[in-house]
Amino acid sequence: MDELYYQAIDLLKELIATPSVSREEKDAADIIERHFKSHGHTPRRHGNNVWAIAPDYDPALPTLLLNSHIDTVKPAAGWTRDPFTPEEDEEGRIYGLGSNDAGASLVSLIATFLYMSQQSRGYNLVMLASAEEEVSGKNGIESAIPLLPPIDIAIVGEPTGMNPAIAEKGLMVLDAEVKGIAGHAARNEGDNAIYHAIDTIATLKELQLPVISRMLGPVKISVTQINAGTQHNVVPDLCKMVVDVRTTDAYTNVETLELIRNAAPGCNFTPRSTRLNPSRIAPDHPVVRRLEILGFTPFGSPTLSDQALMPWQSVKVGPGQSSRSHTADEYIFSDEIREAIATYIHVLNGLNL
């Protein structure tokens, strides 16, 4: 365990020192690839996604995927340290961009994979370090999924304090248009699109879809941008809006879109994408139950991860705290990594899928 822990800490510091903003992860992917090779594994790669399969793969057995991402957001304003220089203070905080989100989860899961790939298991094991998670990019996990063996269940590493997120909200961004008739503002002419948009906004503000998720609550609908008009004396014939929709496991994204359209028929809604779906896993799944036995509490997560692109069931769990993500002077406690490795191994040892 000590050897796994110290290797994980060294790997995390190497990754922090290697800028890997979304879509620019090549150098970080190279590091992960070399790390797998140094431990006797033959990694596979597609773009900047790198994965390894435990050598005892048996297609007759179920397959568990371990996954976390190698990309980061850009450094936030307000850093008082170099975000690409890993620093550890006397209390065991390791500072650096991506240390908490999700470098700690990534290195802990890799350590777990290296250990568990040498143990007797009743399931196959795959470790995937994915790219472009922070931007939900098409060249991230979505591009790697067709190349993986069939997956039955995934553990997704994100900062949750090792509490299992058994449901996660999805996302739809809608481009909305309300039409009117242009006219001169000085005369009683035209049909003002802005006034119709006000009605639509009021509808969306009060809209509550019939089914409320037990873990995630209601679908959250927010009008976040609005644009209309060409000049002060012209009644606008078009009002454009952007609507942010945080979906829940009560509906698919497509079902949610249809309910919104039915509630506001005077508005034309066009989704930029419906691919970032909500997810859930049964509370009595063996992985969830094992985490509960260890004292961790299942919850519903409002933040998006690569779970949204997975066609199989998954649970999100990892070291660190979501509140530290994307912040200046981001950090992880080294002891959180030690605990994560021990917890992951405890959950996977003897797991019956």
Side-chain angles (χ1 to χ4, degrees):
M1 283 297 300
D2 282 345
E3 184 178 355
L4 284 172
Y5 163 71
Y6 288 119
Q7 288 178 357
I9 295 296
D10 288 344
L11 179 59
L12 176 62
K13 290 179 177 179
E14 187 177 7
L15 289 169
I16 289 171
T18 306
S20 56
V21 173
S22 300
R23 300 192 175 97
E24 299 175 10
E25 309 99 336
K26 180 184 179 302
D27 291 343
D30 291 344
I31 290 170
I32 299 300
E33 192 171 8
R34 288 196 300 269
H35 191 74
F36 280 134
K37 288 179 179 178
S38 72
H39 286 83
H41 290 272
T42 303
R44 308 177 191 194
R45 182 164 176 171
H46 180 69
N48 293 328
N49 303 281
V50 182
W51 66 96
I53 301 173
D56 55 353
Y57 181 82
D58 181 349
L61 295 175
T63 298
L64 170 66
L65 174 70
L66 306 178
N67 164 249
S68 192
H69 62 92
I70 62 175
D71 61 316
T72 71
V73 297
K74 294 179 181 180
W79 275 83
T80 63
R81 308 164 182 266
D82 179 356
F84 302 112
T85 299
E87 296 181 35
E88 188 167 359
D89 67 15
E90 294 179 354
E91 296 181 357
R93 294 183 186 88
I94 300 173
Y95 292 91
L97 184 64
S99 55
N100 179 78
D101 184 14
S105 292
L106 176 65
V107 300
S108 298
L109 285 170
I110 289 174
T112 301
F113 170 81
L114 295 175
Y115 177 83
M116 289 302 303
S117 63
Q118 300 178 45
Q119 310 305 313
S120 176
R121 289 166 281 102
Y123 55 90
N124 301 308
L125 193 61
V126 179
M127 174 67 215
L128 168 64
S130 51
E132 297 191 9
E133 188 271 349
E134 295 289 4
V135 293
S136 300
K138 297 249 182 185
N139 293 318
I141 192 172
E142 188 174 27
S143 68
I145 284 174
L147 306 176
L148 300 176
I151 304 296
D152 294 275
I153 169 71
I155 293 176
V156 178
E158 290 282 348
T160 69
M162 294 307 291
N163 294 302
I166 63 173
E168 177 185 270
K169 284 191 175 182
L171 170 66
M172 275 194 304
V173 178
L174 307 179
D175 290 308
E177 292 186 352
V178 178
K179 293 183 178 180
I181 300 172
H184 198 298
R187 297 191 294 267
N188 190 23
E189 295 178 348
D191 186 15
N192 197 319
I194 292 177
Y195 296 159
H196 292 298
I198 290 172
D199 293 336
T200 297
I201 292 170
T203 297
L204 296 178
K205 180 182 178 182
E206 301 300 327
L207 182 60
Q208 182 168 298
L209 303 189
V211 181
I212 297 177
S213 167
R214 185 177 69 85
M215 293 299 300
L216 298 172
V219 173
K220 183 72 170 64
I221 304 169
S222 304
V223 178
T224 54
Q225 293 176 271
I226 186 167
N227 181 58
T230 56
Q231 59 190 59
H232 77 90
N233 59 351
V234 177
V235 173
D237 61 356
L238 181 65
C239 183
K240 295 183 177 182
M241 298 175 288
V242 176
V243 185
D244 180 288
V245 184
R246 302 292 165 153
T247 54
T248 75
D249 56 324
Y251 303 97
T252 66
N253 282 359
V254 172
E255 290 169 339
T256 301
L257 175 60
E258 191 61 26
L259 289 167
I260 291 173
R261 284 172 169 165
N262 291 339
C267 183
N268 180 41
F269 296 98
T270 302
R272 295 181 184 176
S273 169
T274 58
R275 57 195 271 272
L276 302 176
N277 276 294
S279 62
R280 71 178 300 276
I281 190 171
D284 60 353
H285 189 279
V287 172
V288 179
R289 289 291 302 124
R290 280 176 168 253
L291 285 162
E292 279 193 288
I293 291 169
L294 292 174
F296 299 104
T297 304
F299 72 104
S301 173
T303 58
L304 202 65
S305 74
D306 273 337
Q307 281 185 289
L309 296 168
M310 293 180 176
W312 48 74
Q313 60 183 345
S314 58
V315 58
K316 181 167 68 178
V317 56
Q321 298 296 331
S322 182
S323 58
R324 299 178 202 154
S325 301
H326 306 179
T327 62
D329 293 341
E330 179 184 354
Y331 67 89
I332 187 77
F333 282 101
S334 56
D335 282 349
E336 291 177 306
I337 294 174
R338 183 186 290 275
E339 178 192 31
I341 296 170
T343 299
Y344 285 139
I345 289 175
H346 191 96
V347 169
L348 298 190
N349 252 329
L351 179 65
N352 183 12
L353 295 176

